[in-house]
Amino acid sequence: MITRPRRTEAAAKPSGRVPVDLVATGLRVAYERDVEILRGVEITAAARRISLVIGPNGAGKSTFLKAVAGLAPVTGGLVTLGGVDITRWRPRDLLAHGVALVPQNGTLFPAMTVRENLQMGGWLRRREKAWLGESIEAVVNRFNLPRHLVDRRAGDLSGGQQKLVEIMRSMIMTPTTLLLDEPTAGLSPKMASQVYEQIAALPGDLGVTVLLVDQNVRSSLAISDDVYVLAMGLNNDRGTARDITERLGEITAGWLRQGVSGAVKS
Amino acid sequence: MRSNPEKLKLLFAALAVVAAAALAYLIPSPTVLDAVVYFFYFLMLAASWNLLAGICGQMSFAHMAFCVTGAYVAASTANVLGLPMAAAVVVGALAAACAGLFVGIFTLRFRDITFSLATFAFAGVLTSWLIGASDITGGSNGMSAPPIFSGDQARAFVWLGLALSVVFFALQWLLLSSRWGILMRAVRDREPVARGLGVKATHLKVAVFAYTAFWAGLAGGYFAAYTEYVTPTMAGLENMGLVLGMVIVGGIGTVAGPVLGTLVFRFIDFFTRGYGGEYTVFTFALILLVTMLFLRDGAMGLITATLRRFRAPQERWHAAQPAAAPGATPES
Ligand SMILES: Nc1ncnc2c1ncn2[C@@H]1O[C@H](COP(=O)(O)OP(=O)(O)OP(=O)(O)O)[C@@H](O)[C@H]1O
Ligand SMILES: [Mg+2]
């Protein structure tokens, strides 16, 4: 195991918050020995753009986001943020450095109020009370969360509201790079479009670089700039959103074939 | 919808505590005084275990081991060093806190059931040692302890128990309304998420473990000074089960739950006392079973639900806002 650099001191200072590219080169991940889930993935999330990663179930999309966020065992390759090597950083250091992850399954604290959840999002800067209050206020306004919901138990909100609060919580620390794993899974189309609307506005309004993983291919293509297709832990295709939209039928047909061969192989 | 029933429940619990003390004041018969002292002893144990397990999510089975640590250290420092028993009780509680710190650090890599098993093992090892090392501990015969008060012991212990309980709940209130309150619930509900947000969860867990061990040790010293005796049976699994049961019957994770649970248990014990201990445990186990089957949030949950029914319509916010009604609430 490679030793993990401790970057707390450098990371504690918000690094000027200039949006920069997040680049993964030759990224390899194995949860167990000799079973590589990612086998050299190359993905660039360009600054102030929305980059979309799509692929069949089990392709390794979530694993890729986890690896970037310091939650999956990286066995090879590099992740850089604006040229700085951030491979295998601890989640808290990444967060302090401006990289935030919103995982696939619900991660709100259900027994806490929405406000308390948002406060937890700013835990690293909890001592700056005034700043934290302002940051929460700004996020609540930005996402148009109805006022009366702020002091409600998070577990009592609807699925879509919960997802929005999760994204809001990740925005408290004003990240420059936001990693989103299937933010609309299980939501009604109406709520999903509300969530997409908020995501689409992040690069323009707040200068956030978004790396989005999504199964809801058509809707997510509509808000994305660059698209990467993953299959079986490898880059399979890439292009602009328009390009991929045109070839979408052909690409998803390929997933079916690969799904079969994958099953035979394993 | 939160604040008012919350306050009512606290009021209820406070009334129960005051009533117990008042009972002892009004009917100072030895049996009543004795029952009230036992009430405060178990209340300190149940309330501190509830803080550890119910609020911070650490299902420890070592609580009685810390209690007995406090009791033995208090008794032996008073006997050997000649310290006044009151000071010895504090020393015992501090020793229990140190033991808590040690066990906490040792078990911090364990989660959930493995954590419980590790604490269980620790309790077992300690009890066996207390019985085995008879030249130090007096073995299964135990050890005598000097009294704290001269004269009317029982009544003084009622007031001491009341004072200690009030201090416990006041400190807990401060703790829960500070950042620590949010933090403990965060670690209980979603520890990995809390870690991801930058929380040093292990520091928190060890600190809470040591703090609650302190209170268990204090309760142990209090009890040792009252009975003027300590035996290894205090650390037995039966007592641990009773404390756990009191918290569950009252409502785990709530502030007032341990008060109610302890009260229920003391009442049963008081009225079945003449028939031998088995009846107490039997009746209480029955109530515990019924609670677990039908009242998942304990007596506190029942009270909350009843209160809510009385003050219903305008409180149900989703009635006024169908679009925002509670949807699927995923629990991991
Ligand atoms: N913690 C883990 N330990 C071992 N194997 C894992 C772990 N997490 C994921 N995997 C495996 O890694 C592979 C990729 O999983 P991953 O969750 O990244 O897929 P995905 O592309 O996000 O799929 P989906 O679209 O279904 O969310 C799967 O075969 C899965 O079984
Ligand atoms: Mg996934």
Side-chain angles (χ1 to χ4, degrees), chain A residues 61-62 104 181-182 213:
Chain A
K61 307 182 295 294
S62 299
Q104 188 167 359
D181 197 352
E182 304 202 20
V213 162

Side-chain angles (χ1 to χ4, degrees), chain A residues 92 108 112 119 123 148 155-156, chain B residues 182-183 186 190 198 321 326 329:
Chain A
R92 53 181 290 145
L108 285 186
M112 291 186 198
Q119 281 169 352
W123 179 253
H148 67 278
D156 289 346
Chain B
I182 299 187
L183 213 51
R190 293 192 194 283
Q321 264 215 303
T329 51

Side-chain angles (χ1 to χ4, degrees), chain A residues 72-94:
Chain A
V74 174
T75 51
L78 272 184
V79 185
T80 61
L81 183 70
V84 179
D85 182 357
I86 58 163
T87 324
R88 300 186 192 89
W89 276 26
R90 293 184 304 178
R92 53 181 290 145
D93 297 339
L94 286 167

Side-chain angles (χ1 to χ4, degrees), chain A residues 175-251:
Chain A
T176 52
T177 310
L178 190 59
L179 314 175
L180 294 167
D181 197 352
E182 304 202 20
T184 62
L187 299 189
S188 71
K190 191 171 155 233
M191 289 201 165
S193 69
Q194 209 182 331
V195 172
Y196 281 129
E197 211 175 289
Q198 295 290 353
I199 296 171
L202 290 177
D205 294 358
L206 301 176
V208 176
T209 305
V210 177
L211 184 54
L212 175 66
V213 162
D214 216 316
Q215 299 264 18
N216 208 338
V217 178
R218 295 224 169 256
S219 317
S220 52
L221 273 171
I223 61 161
S224 302
D225 300 305
D226 309 316
V227 184
Y228 293 84
V229 182
L230 279 192
M232 301 191 59
L234 284 171
N235 286 66
N236 187 272
D237 208 337
R238 75 178 62 178
T240 62
R242 176 177 300 182
D243 172 30
I244 296 291
T245 310
E246 279 168 11
R247 298 190 286 120
L248 192 60
E250 172 197 328
I251 291 169

Side-chain angles (χ1 to χ4, degrees), chain A residues 30-32 35-38 54-66 71-73 104 181-182 213-215 230 233:
Chain A
Y31 290 108
E32 294 147 43
V35 188
E36 283 200 320
I37 303 296
L38 298 188
I54 56 176
N57 289 106
K61 307 182 295 294
S62 299
T63 301
F64 172 68
L65 288 193
K66 283 188 209 158
L71 296 170
Q104 188 167 359
D181 197 352
E182 304 202 20
V213 162
D214 216 316
Q215 299 264 18
L230 279 192

